């Protein structure tokens, strides 16, 4: 496989940049250029020989072009490449005011001071971040933790890839006739059936759903010792659940997290969250979730992925959390199961889910949209992030909303990036009326909400981010909810459920020992940072609750049974 290319652009310091980037020589093809024109030609030559450009690095001044204009040209040739401005120290402060405006518009990914000596790890930390982001979203993995054998890109195969991508497991699909496909088949005991999954050097399995694959890799809840009662069971591994797990486990509480899908929840599908505190260049939802998961595991949390919680029932120790794969006993429960995207409700379009139609940003599917015309339905930040990511691959991306603008529902930084990106357009006051295709989405009928007129447009991808509905039907009647199904906590609880004239604690539900955090909770802000804050804030309330209970029968030193998977 041809090594990805890094293009280093400077009229006077190209050799210096080449020397500074020498540490990447083993894994990348390093090319220099002295002008925007030459850099563009280098990129075209790389593509012509079947290679990929992973990164452009340029000085803040070019002899034949302004930096934003140069990046615009390079982006038209290689939309997926990451982009860095590395200003010489003589010009860093002088050029900063103008270049920082371009940074805010998403014209490039970072504005840095060129290294002034050896081992400038601040500089190279940014380089590695961007190369890692490029590698996880664009390039095929060099090392495969998961091999999927399938003759075609059916919805289950795509769902498996999306799940493993979100779990941070590099994966690749192999045709059954390929050498790798044949090798997996040779280790499969039984008639050939697809897709086959071989993960983490374990025997191949033939899952009938993403959940079965998750269980094959990550285990079942009933693997927890039957004599163990955990201090807290967290239902859901989105930002709120992950924060609750980190803080609970770090404070000595035995903690188990059960997640029906992939760790990260809806936030885990975000290609790039740019307004999360502490990540100036942004962070993908997948990476944020995996870092939080690893942090929780370090403190002793155990995760079970792929099992749906079906009920919470009383138990002498507190609560019995029932799943379709086993039961857990917990002295307290944190509900952090989040929400699910609202369905479009157009039958012909629903039939094509997984075949060009996707709920959520579907980062894995984005790579399948190369050269295609794509529609994103939704006006929130998730839709904006999805559109920007899809524009790296698709020929055109149209954000479609019923409102007359995006300003009321989308953050300003995203509006700025969208306005700058020539591949992204906005269609307001319209909705999907119908759609179809021969086994894959090929067209959509779009209705103008002002006059009712319908226009047909050719489309190969539809990404639906339509708002959210709570997943709360499984909760017992003792947990109060509002008319939409969101869980009520604190002062939002009806007064007839208050005890001694006092409402529950701020994140406590009407069922003692059960708490709610994140998007599932009525009145939550529906932001990643807010969900994380609620997850952290719920832990002191858990401590208060546990202090009212008798000491558990089993000794605390047995907590070693609850270890990270």
């Amino acid at each position: 496989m041809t090594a990805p290319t890094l293009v280093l652009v400077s009229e006077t310091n190209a050799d210096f940049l080449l020397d500074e980037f020498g540490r990447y020589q083993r894994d990348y093809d390093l090319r220099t250029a002295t002008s925007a024109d030459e850099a563009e030609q280098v990129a075209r030559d790389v593509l012509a020989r079947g290679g990929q450009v992973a990164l452009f690095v340029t000085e803040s001044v070019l002899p034949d072009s302004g930096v934003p204009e140069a990046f615009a040209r390079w982006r038209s040739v290689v939309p997926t490449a990451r982009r860095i401005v590395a200003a010489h120290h003589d010009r860093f402060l002088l050029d900063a005011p103008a270049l920082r405006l371009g940074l805010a518009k998403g014209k490039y990914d970072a504005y840095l001071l060129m290294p002034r000596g050896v081992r400038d790890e601040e500089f190279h930390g940014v380089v590695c971040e961007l190369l890692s982001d490029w590698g996880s979203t664009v390039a095929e993995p060099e090392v495969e933790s998961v091999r999927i054998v399938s003759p075609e890109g059916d919805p289950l195969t795509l769902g498996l890839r999306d799940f493993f991508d979100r779990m941070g497991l590099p994966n690749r699909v192999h045709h059954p006739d390929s050498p790798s496909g044949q090798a997996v088949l040779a280790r499969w005991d039984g008639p050939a059936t697809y897709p086959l999954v071989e993960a983490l050097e374990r025997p191949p399995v033939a899952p009938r759903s993403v959940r079965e694959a998750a269980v094959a890799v990550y285990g079942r809840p009933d693997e927890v010792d039957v004599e163990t009662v955990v201090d807290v069971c967290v239902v859901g591994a989105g930002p709120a659940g992950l924060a609750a797990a980190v803080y609970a486990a770090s404070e000595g509480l035995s903690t188990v997290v059960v997640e029906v899908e992939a760790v990260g929840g809806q936030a885990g599908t975000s290609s790039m969250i740019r307004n999360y505190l502490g990540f100036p260049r942004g962070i993908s939802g997948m990476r944020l979730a995996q870092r939080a998961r690893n942090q929780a595991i370090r403190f002793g949390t155990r995760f079970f992925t792929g099992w749906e919680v079906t009920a919470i029932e009383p138990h002498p120790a507190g609560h019995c959390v029932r799943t379709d794969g086993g039961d857990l006993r917990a002295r307290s429960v944190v509900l952090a199961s989040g929400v699910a995207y609202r369905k479009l409700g157009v039958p012909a379009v629903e039939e094509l889910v997984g075949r060009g139609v996707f709920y959520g940003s579907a980062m894995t599917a984005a790579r399948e949209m190369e050269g295609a015309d794509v529609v994103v339905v939704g006006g929130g930040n998730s839709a904006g992030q999805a559109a920007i990511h899809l524009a790296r691959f698709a020929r055109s991306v149209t954000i479609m909303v019923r409102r007359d603008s995006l300003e009321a529902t989308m953050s300003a930084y995203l509006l700025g990036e969208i306005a700058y990106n020539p591949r992204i357009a906005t269609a307001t006051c319209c909705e999907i009326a119908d759609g179809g295709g021969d086994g894959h989405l090929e067209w959509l009928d779009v209705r103008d909400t002002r006059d009712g007129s319908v226009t047909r447009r050719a489309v190969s991808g539809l990404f639906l981010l339509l708002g959210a509905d709570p997943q709360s039907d499984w909760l017992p009647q003792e947990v109060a909810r509002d008319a939409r199904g969101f869980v009520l906590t604190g002062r939002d609880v009806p007064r007839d459920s208050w005890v001694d004239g006092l409402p529950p604690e701020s994140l406590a539900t009407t069922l003692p020992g059960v708490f709610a955090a994140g998007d599932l909770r009525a009145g939550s802000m529906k932001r990643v940072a807010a969900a994380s804050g609620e997850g952290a804030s719920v832990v002191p309330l858990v401590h208060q609750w546990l202090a009212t209970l008798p000491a558990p029968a089993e000794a605390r030193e047995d907590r070693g049974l609850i270890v990270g998977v």
Side-chain angles (χ1 to χ4, degrees):
M1 184 179 293
T2 304
T5 297
L6 311 185
V7 182
L8 314 174
V9 191
S10 172
E11 181 182 21
T12 58
N13 291 300
D15 289 341
F16 173 80
L17 285 174
L18 183 63
D19 181 65
E20 187 63 38
F21 276 77
R23 62 168 70 184
Y24 306 97
Q25 187 79 52
R26 188 192 70 173
D27 299 323
Y28 294 91
D29 170 32
L30 304 183
R31 305 284 295 277
T32 60
T34 58
S35 67
D37 286 341
E38 187 180 352
E40 181 178 340
Q41 188 57 52
V42 168
R44 293 188 184 279
D45 290 345
V46 169
L47 297 182
R49 59 180 171 81
Q52 293 179 297
V53 176
L55 178 68
F56 287 98
V57 181
T58 182
E59 275 211 76
S60 57
V61 176
L62 291 171
D64 58 343
S65 174
V67 167
E69 293 74 21
F71 276 125
R73 290 168 54 189
W74 302 337
R75 182 187 225 165
S76 68
V77 179
V78 193
T80 56
R82 296 336 188 227
R83 307 171 300 275
I84 292 176
V85 180
H88 192 272
H89 54 86
D90 289 339
R91 297 199 59 92
F92 182 78
L93 295 178
L94 179 66
D95 297 334
L99 287 173
R100 282 175 180 158
L101 288 175
L103 188 65
K105 296 290 186 183
K107 296 180 180 181
Y108 26 89
D109 300 297
Y111 175 54
L112 305 173
L113 179 65
M114 190 179 292
R116 300 186 65 178
V118 296
R119 294 185 297 279
D120 187 341
E121 301 306 340
E122 285 296 317
F123 178 88
H124 289 288
V126 177
V127 174
C128 290
E129 271 185 24
L130 293 174
L131 290 176
S132 177
D133 176 54
W134 178 86
S136 65
T137 57
V138 178
E140 289 288 348
E142 297 284 348
V143 177
E144 299 173 30
S145 297
V146 181
R147 294 184 181 89
I148 303 171
V149 180
S150 180
E152 58 182 349
D154 62 280
L156 177 54
T157 299
L158 186 62
L160 291 169
R161 291 204 70 184
D162 188 59
F163 170 78
F164 288 122
D165 280 348
R166 290 169 62 189
M167 294 301 295
L169 292 177
N171 62 86
R172 186 179 294 177
V173 177
H174 300 273
H175 193 277
D177 294 337
S178 68
S180 294
Q182 287 289 304
V184 174
L185 283 168
R187 293 187 286 271
W188 168 248
D189 184 16
T193 181
Y194 304 108
L196 280 177
V197 174
E198 186 178 66
L200 303 175
E201 306 303 325
R202 297 182 181 182
V205 295
R208 292 167 294 177
S209 66
V210 173
R211 185 179 303 172
E212 287 190 8
V215 171
V217 176
Y218 293 105
R220 300 165 53 96
D222 58 6
E223 290 176 0
V224 176
D225 190 286
V226 294
E227 298 302 319
T228 300
V229 177
V230 298
D231 290 325
V232 58
C233 175
V234 181
V235 181
L242 289 167
V246 167
Y247 282 91
S250 70
E251 295 175 12
L253 301 181
S254 56
T255 307
V256 168
V257 178
V258 183
E259 166 59 48
V260 65
E261 294 182 349
V263 170
Q266 278 191 351
T269 69
S270 296
S271 56
M272 187 59 63
I273 304 168
R274 296 197 185 278
N275 60 350
Y276 192 78
L277 185 67
F279 294 92
R281 284 163 294 281
I283 185 169
S284 71
M286 180 272 288
R287 293 199 180 281
L288 182 64
Q290 290 307 313
R291 291 182 184 186
R293 175 178 179 268
N294 291 339
Q295 193 173 11
I297 286 174
R298 180 177 181 178
F299 292 124
T301 301
R302 190 167 188 178
F303 283 82
F304 291 101
T305 304
W307 288 106
E308 182 177 12
V309 176
T310 58
I312 296 176
E313 297 177 357
H315 187 276
H319 306 279
C320 178
V321 180
R322 297 198 181 279
T323 82
D324 50 6
D327 296 340
L328 291 162
R329 292 180 297 153
R331 304 171 71 212
S332 65
V333 177
V334 174
L335 304 175
S337 51
V339 292
Y341 285 113
R342 196 170 297 132
K343 297 299 182 183
L344 181 67
V346 177
V349 175
E350 299 290 350
E351 291 177 2
L352 294 173
V353 170
R355 294 183 171 89
V357 178
F358 308 94
Y359 280 97
S361 58
M363 287 179 60
T364 302
R367 286 180 285 200
E368 309 297 324
M369 297 292 122
E370 189 168 356
D373 297 308
V374 173
V375 168
V376 175
V377 179
N381 280 5
S382 294
Q385 292 160 357
I388 291 169
H389 182 63
L390 284 162
R392 299 181 188 274
F393 305 90
R395 178 172 58 189
S396 72
V397 180
T398 301
I399 302 175
M400 194 172 292
V401 291
R402 291 180 176 178
R403 294 173 178 262
D404 57 6
S405 73
L406 295 175
E407 279 72 13
T409 55
M410 191 176 292
S411 293
Y413 80 94
L414 286 169
L415 294 173
E417 287 197 46
I418 288 166
Y420 170 71
N421 196 314
R423 293 190 176 197
I424 304 177
T426 303
T428 58
C429 301
C430 56
E431 62 186 4
I432 304 298
D434 200 2
D438 185 12
H440 192 280
L441 180 68
E442 296 173 353
W443 56 268
L444 291 172
D445 281 346
V446 181
R447 180 186 297 116
D448 190 309
T449 58
R450 295 163 294 191
D451 59 20
S453 61
V454 176
T455 304
R456 179 163 293 189
R457 59 190 298 168
V459 171
S460 298
L462 174 63
F463 294 80
L464 300 164
L465 299 97
L466 299 172
D469 289 323
Q471 303 300 291
S472 62
D473 292 344
W474 59 275
L475 290 172
Q477 293 182 350
E478 291 86 349
V479 177
R481 283 152 279 179
D482 66 11
R484 295 180 58 193
F486 288 95
V487 174
L488 297 172
T489 59
R491 290 187 174 275
D492 291 332
V493 167
R495 280 186 173 270
D496 59 8
S497 297
W498 292 16
V499 177
D500 296 329
L502 297 175
E505 295 287 350
S506 58
L507 301 175
T509 73
T510 48
L511 182 58
V514 176
F515 305 85
D519 291 356
L520 181 66
R521 191 182 68 81
S524 65
M525 192 180 292
K526 310 297 186 288
R527 286 280 195 259
V528 174
S532 300
E534 289 190 9
S537 299
V538 80
V539 175
L541 305 181
V542 171
H543 278 294
Q544 290 178 26
W545 167 253
L546 295 178
T548 68
L549 301 180
E554 58 270 16
R556 285 297 177 94
E557 54 267 23
D558 288 341
R559 192 171 294 143
L561 292 168
I562 311 298
V563 294
V565 174

